[in-house]
Amino acid sequence: MNIGVIGGGQLARMLALAGYPLGLKLICLEPNANCPAAEVAEVIKGDYADPKQLQALADRVDVITYEFENINLSALAAITHPPIYPAINALAVAQDRLSEKTFFNQLDIPTTQFAAINSLEELYSAARKIGLPAVLKTRRWGYDGKGQVVIHAMDELEPAWLQLQHQPLLLENKVPFQREVSCLAVRSTLGETAFYPLVMNQHQAGILRLSQVVTEEDEVAAAARDYVGRILNEWNYVGVLAVEFFEDKGCLFANEIAPRVHNSGHWSIEGAVSSQFENHLRAVAGLPLGATTANGYTAMVNFIGSVPPLATILKIQGVHCHLYGKEARPGRKLGHATICSVDKNSYSQQLQALCALAGFENSV
Ligand code: AMP
């Protein structure tokens, strides 16, 4: 079976690696011929928004999926065959923070307070209503904390507006969260559904640095599964879905949807019975899903901007290292490492060593 992927970054690379043992061949559409997926999959060099290139991909594959959200919807909608999973309606909602939050609220999933902002006057009035501190965000094309300004005082509204004004914006209250968590689930074309354990995430400068699998089952984990389950059902969703939440005093506030495999699920390559990458492929290919249970205590650390020497990383007992073959640049995700242990003490020691090596201070 041939699976088409829009995009050829590290997510496509890890999808291709998961497809190999199952005999699933990936073909990626990607403008950069030296992309991370190119070493392990065929790449059609072309623009994602070019209908001809999309059709060239469609003509060669049995199903199409994607590894990022910022795809031109009308170009994608013109593809009548093969099926595209996750479906375009999920992508349309995930592309706009306002649609995302409105959609969450329609399903009775709590969010921050929010308001669409199209003028400085609207920003003043929303800030008075929502209160400060608040976060002004671009509605579209934001990722890894880009296109966001935190506002603490009324006199910071105008500078924030001047910085971001050329795009549709959204103001939301800043949540004094105790934890950020994400819930990943997968649903197949056959309607089979499975949830990965809840993951606790730590960011630095808006970029994910550390994901730790939450081993304790509690009401928060159950609420996250309930919310994500509502989304899967509402959309008859197919593929892996990730939802990020802020947790404040035991309550979850949905922040973002990713209708794709997600960085906070990379731990599952070695840390779960079946990884998010394998299950995404199984789901879109109409195959039975694999178990999503964790193989013990497990965590993933991202290498951002630079990668420590491989020999140093591999000195950590039990570590699994994934490098994406990308050129080093500040703020760029270049690879990740996962630890996984059935012994809690070894896990904690290995995690501290890995965080120290990756230049990240683990605050939990
Ligand atoms: P986002 O692009 O919305 O995922 O934001 C990136 C990161 O910025 C989040 O993971 C949070 O750490 C922080 N952040 C964004 N929005 C808020 C908010 N409303 N309250 C508190 N922190 C936020």
Side-chain angles (χ1 to χ4, degrees):
M1 188 177 201
N2 290 341
I3 298 179
V5 184
I6 302 174
Q10 63 261 25
L11 301 180
R13 177 184 175 109
M14 289 184 270
L15 281 168
L17 290 169
Y20 259 110
L22 302 178
L24 301 172
K25 185 182 172 202
L26 266 70
I27 305 177
C28 305
L29 175 65
E30 156 71 49
N32 170 14
N34 297 321
C35 61
E39 286 172 4
V40 294
E42 181 181 340
V43 173
I44 299 177
K45 189 171 177 294
D47 186 345
Y48 324 112
D50 179 345
K52 277 205 198 99
Q53 303 285 2
L54 277 170
Q55 194 56 53
L57 177 70
D59 290 343
R60 302 241 348 249
V61 297
D62 303 291
V63 58
I64 291 182
T65 188
Y66 42 88
E67 61 140 24
F68 67 106
E69 289 95 305
N70 294 337
I71 303 171
N72 182 306
L73 285 183
S74 49
L76 210 54
I79 304 285
T80 52
H81 185 79
I84 299 170
Y85 298 128
I88 293 178
N89 57 345
L91 195 57
V93 169
Q95 283 186 350
D96 182 341
R97 290 181 190 276
L98 182 65
S99 325
E100 224 169 30
K101 288 200 159 50
T102 310
F103 173 71
F104 286 136
N105 288 175
Q106 279 163 359
L107 297 181
D108 275 335
I109 301 172
T111 61
T112 57
Q113 292 178 66
F114 61 93
I117 306 294
N118 295 301
S119 67
L120 184 56
E121 292 67 41
E122 279 181 3
L123 180 57
Y124 274 111
S125 129
R128 275 191 291 271
K129 194 164 151 231
I130 290 173
L132 297 180
V135 188
L136 184 65
K137 298 181 174 182
T138 55
R139 276 172 53 182
R140 302 172 75 87
W141 318 123
Y143 68 98
D144 287 346
K146 292 186 174 60
Q148 302 193 9
V149 181
V150 179
I151 297 164
H152 301 93
M154 292 304 268
D155 63 3
E156 291 170 17
L157 289 173
E158 192 169 352
W161 165 255
L162 292 173
Q163 190 180 329
L164 298 177
Q165 64 179 324
H166 300 294
Q167 307 138 82
L169 302 173
L170 184 98
L171 187 76
E172 61 185 49
N173 63 299
K174 185 165 187 289
V175 182
F177 57 78
Q178 288 81 57
R179 298 199 301 181
E180 286 189 84
V181 296
S182 56
C183 180
L184 272 75
V186 56
R187 187 174 178 281
S188 77
T189 54
L190 310 171
E192 192 187 351
T193 298
F195 293 84
Y196 283 94
L198 197 67
V199 176
M200 178 169 65
N201 300 315
Q202 288 180 50
H203 296 79
Q204 212 171 42
I207 305 176
L208 181 68
R209 298 301 306 253
L210 167 65
S211 290
Q212 285 175 268
V213 170
V214 178
T215 43
E216 305 80 33
E217 171 58 24
D218 60 12
E219 283 170 15
V220 172
R225 283 198 301 273
D226 172 30
Y227 295 151
V228 174
R230 291 182 207 178
I231 300 170
L232 296 178
N233 290 338
E234 175 71 16
W235 279 338
N236 272 333
Y237 188 85
V238 174
V240 165
L241 174 80
V243 182
E244 294 181 89
F245 298 92
F246 301 128
E247 183 189 334
D248 184 23
K249 301 177 201 77
C251 296
L252 290 177
F253 299 91
N255 179 42
E256 250 190 330
I257 276 184
R260 56 171 168 81
V261 287
H262 191 254
N263 195 171
S264 68
H266 290 4
W267 63 272
S268 64
I269 298 176
E270 295 88 9
V273 176
S274 299
S275 77
Q276 62 161 345
F277 300 101
E278 179 174 335
N279 264 335
H280 184 74
L281 296 179
R282 290 190 191 206
V284 302
L287 295 165
L289 298 179
T292 46
T293 29
N295 299 320
Y297 300 97
T298 177
M300 180 234 53
V301 174
N302 272 336
F303 298 127
I304 310 288
S306 65
V307 179
L310 185 59
T312 319
I313 302 170
L314 297 182
K315 269 196 190 139
I316 298 174
Q317 198 63 36
V319 79
H320 302 275
C321 182
H322 298 256
L323 302 179
Y324 308 148
K326 287 158 78 172
E327 202 181 300
R329 250 188 259 146
R332 206 170 193 209
K333 290 177 182 168
L334 302 176
H336 75 265
T338 301
I339 51 162
C340 180
S341 174
V342 287
D343 177 68
K344 199 169 186 180
N345 283 337
S346 323
Y347 164 78
S348 301
Q349 281 168 14
Q350 290 163 8
L351 181 57
Q352 291 313 325
L354 185 55
C355 286
L357 202 56
F360 177 66
E361 211 172 296
N362 176 11
S363 63
V364 178

